[in-house]
Amino acid sequence: MAEQDELAGRRENTDAVPPGTPNSGENLCRRCGGTGEIDGADCPDCRGTGKVLTPVGGAG
């Protein structure tokens, strides 16, 4: 289980889409679990916000 947790911290947020993508909305960042931090530093995927934009209804 510890290995899974370690690997989860290294994964990219593959669901994230660029700002301005039609039919996208805020979602919790999967990489940091919405905390905005990994190992005491800002999460590189959400830049410390805990949120990312993801497709809604087939966008992206």
Side-chain angles (χ1 to χ4, degrees), residues 13-42:
N13 215 329
T14 58
D15 291 338
V17 295
T21 300
N23 300 319
S24 62
E26 283 187 352
N27 202 349
L28 290 179
C29 177
R30 288 187 180 190
R31 187 166 187 183
C32 67
T35 64
E37 293 186 359
I38 296 177
D39 296 329
D42 282 353

Side-chain angles (χ1 to χ4, degrees), residues 33-59:
T35 64
E37 293 186 359
I38 296 177
D39 296 329
D42 282 353
C43 173
D45 282 5
C46 67
R47 299 184 179 158
T49 65
K51 300 174 186 174
V52 294
L53 291 176
T54 57
V56 177

